[in-house]
Amino acid sequence: MRVLFVASELYPLVKTGGLADVCGALPLALAQQRFDVRALIPAYPGVLDGLRAQVTRLRMDPLFGGAVRVVAGLSETGTQVFALDAPHLFARKGNPYVGPDGRDWPDNHLRFGALSWMAREIGLGRLGDWRPDIVHAHDWQAGLAPAYLALSRDRRPATVITIHNIAFQGLFPADTLTPLRLPQSAFTPEGVEYHGKVGFLKAGLHYADQITTVSPTYAREIQTPEFGEGLDGLLRHRARQLTGIVNGIDAGKCNPAADASIAARYTATKPEGKGANKAALQSRLGLQVNAAAPLFCVISRMSAQKGLDLLLANLPTLLAGGGQLAVLGNGDANLETGFRNAMTANPGRIGGVIGYDEPLAHLMQAGADVIVVPSRFEPCGLTQLYGLRYGTLPLVARLGGLADTVIDANEAAMHDGVATGFQFAPVTTEALGNAFTRVFELYARKDAWRQVVHRAMTRKVGWQEPAEKYAALYRSLVPPEAV
Ligand code: ADP
Ligand code: GLC
């Protein structure tokens, strides 16, 4: 079966968050299940440089203001990619969504409209020898793809849309309708309209045959006003087509037994090397080299979603318990300043890098004892999965994908030997503070801690199981003779 992914990010070609990790790795896991998956992404600067074995497959002139072509190739990790080379839309350096002034590019509707339009063309067979059975759109940037396909009169492939984050919806003024080649008749609440605007994600959720999101708990949460960001009514209406499938991680790239970015290799049965990573991380960040101090880390975009203000508010508790903190992240200016100030005020106890650094992220996963993820909402979350894999116990808010992937070290779970980390609820400063106390208590019980680390490291977090679930979903959408 052939599946076309449509997405705005794909690791290692372009990444701002977990969406890229998923779109880079899931096609490879589906290939193991004998699916032929290709991913259509924008050719931002650098994307074509990272593609091997390039072949131009299609040219179109004009598409939304300029000539474009589709370049097929292979990413460094083996994902089959169709890059939409549209210099008038994508030949801009920096962040994929935001210009140098920190604001969204003013023509984002055309940029991602063009991506979806090209998905439509490929979906309708414009490549000739490669016609997908399924078009699988990811997030708002690909939201118009299911709409364009549903609105075309031709025989079309089945469509799926995955919500990675409902907080970003791609809302544009009503007068973008015509430039986006959408018919006036589609501008209703039973179409692409969202409160007087064109809603890209709304359109995808309305027109796609199936909707998925990246954890079962988030699938339930987004049907409520608290988490639905205004789309909960539509999602309740489509509840029978909505499922949650937890993400995996690339178990090959993220493997403490083979990771070239860390100071010493280790496994669940021989975890001793983790101590060498802790010492290496402490000295790299200017922390006191002290094996006995519980070392917490954060690897995160700094945005309101991630709840890092609660961590800042709890630094006195963390320090009073003898803990250290390693920070890696960037984003919101106030949060960056908060963590910079904390580092300056607590030399040897709090250290880190305000920025983006992939090798350091690996060393932190290997060297820390605990990874803190206090999100206000979290569709899935990947860093807690890396934490499990590296034996760095996740301390997470009990919601979204965090609730579905971490088993709290409560009495019963400890008794049954199934605990893998710590959960707290509600998402308040006080509840996080109480969780720190529980971490310190368990850390003092060395054997119990080791048991939880072992359990965390042996838990399955790869892509095989999620890929099987996507495979079953695709099969349910396509007549058996196509499979
Ligand atoms: P989100 O997509 O909401 O940012 P996820 O947990 O799904 O959250 O994915 C975040 C991804 O980005 C993970 O692979 C994480 O390791 C990585 N990441 C986040 N911040 C940084 C950073 N400052 N440096 C390196 N990697 C980072
Ligand atoms: C989004 C979500 C995150 C999820 C990622 C990949 O960025 O914020 O929770 O893990 O997408 O699905």
Side-chain angles (χ1 to χ4, degrees), residues 73-286:
L74 275 183
S75 83
E76 203 184 299
T77 50
T79 314
Q80 304 206 60
V81 170
F82 292 132
L84 175 58
D85 185 24
H88 63 296
L89 301 172
F90 300 124
R92 306 173 197 179
K93 289 215 171 67
N95 182 287
Y97 315 116
V98 176
D101 58 358
R103 292 183 184 196
D104 289 354
W105 291 109
D107 57 349
N108 270 353
H109 59 294
L110 295 178
R111 300 174 76 228
F112 298 108
L115 181 73
S116 292
W117 187 268
M118 191 52 82
R120 168 199 191 271
E121 295 294 300
I122 296 174
L124 296 179
R126 283 289 299 267
L127 291 183
D129 64 339
W130 199 87
R131 185 181 179 127
D133 303 291
I134 309 256
V135 168
H136 186 160
H138 294 268
D139 268 352
W140 76 262
Q141 294 87 351
L144 288 190
Y148 285 141
L149 283 163
L151 292 165
S152 83
R153 291 211 186 85
D154 301 331
R155 184 169 69 88
R156 67 165 179 89
T159 55
V160 178
I161 186 161
T162 295
I163 304 167
H164 294 265
N165 193 336
I166 207 165
F168 301 106
Q169 299 190 356
L171 291 179
F172 300 99
D175 63 6
T176 59
L177 198 69
T178 306
L180 285 169
R181 303 184 180 174
L182 288 164
Q184 197 63 42
S185 58
F187 195 65
T188 73
E190 293 294 303
V192 304
E193 185 195 343
Y194 182 75
H195 297 297
K197 297 195 162 171
V198 176
F200 276 39
L201 182 62
K202 150 77 204 280
L205 298 181
H206 176 77
Y207 286 106
D209 296 317
Q210 282 287 329
I211 304 169
T212 74
T213 187
V214 287
S215 67
T217 295
Y218 194 60
R220 285 191 298 276
E221 287 169 347
I222 55 180
Q223 295 178 53
T224 67
E226 188 187 351
F227 291 98
E229 300 280 345
L231 290 171
D232 45 293
L234 172 57
L235 290 167
R236 284 195 298 279
H237 179 66
R238 299 219 60 199
R240 274 192 292 159
Q241 289 87 41
L242 168 62
T243 49
I245 302 176
V246 165
N247 289 329
I249 57 172
D250 182 338
K253 181 167 74 90
C254 301
N255 179 4
D259 192 330
S261 304
I262 67 179
R265 256 60 62 195
Y266 61 99
T267 63
T269 43
K270 285 203 165 148
E272 294 74 25
K274 194 159 171 56
N277 285 297
K278 182 167 178 175
L281 178 61
Q282 286 170 324
S283 61
R284 161 100 186 256
L285 298 181

Side-chain angles (χ1 to χ4, degrees), residues 429-445:
T429 304
E430 194 191 353
L432 177 59
N434 293 338
F436 277 123
T437 310
R438 295 178 56 222
V439 172
F440 290 129
E441 281 166 14
L442 191 71
Y443 193 75
R445 295 165 52 201

Side-chain angles (χ1 to χ4, degrees), residues 17-22 139 162-165 168 213-214 218 247 301 305-306 377-384 401 463:
L19 171 66
D21 293 339
V22 173
D139 268 352
T162 295
I163 304 167
H164 294 265
N165 193 336
F168 301 106
T213 187
V214 287
Y218 194 60
N247 289 329
R301 285 187 293 118
Q305 172 187 347
K306 301 295 179 178
F377 66 94
E378 196 60 77
C380 179
L382 297 177
T383 61
Q384 83 282 8
W463 271 108

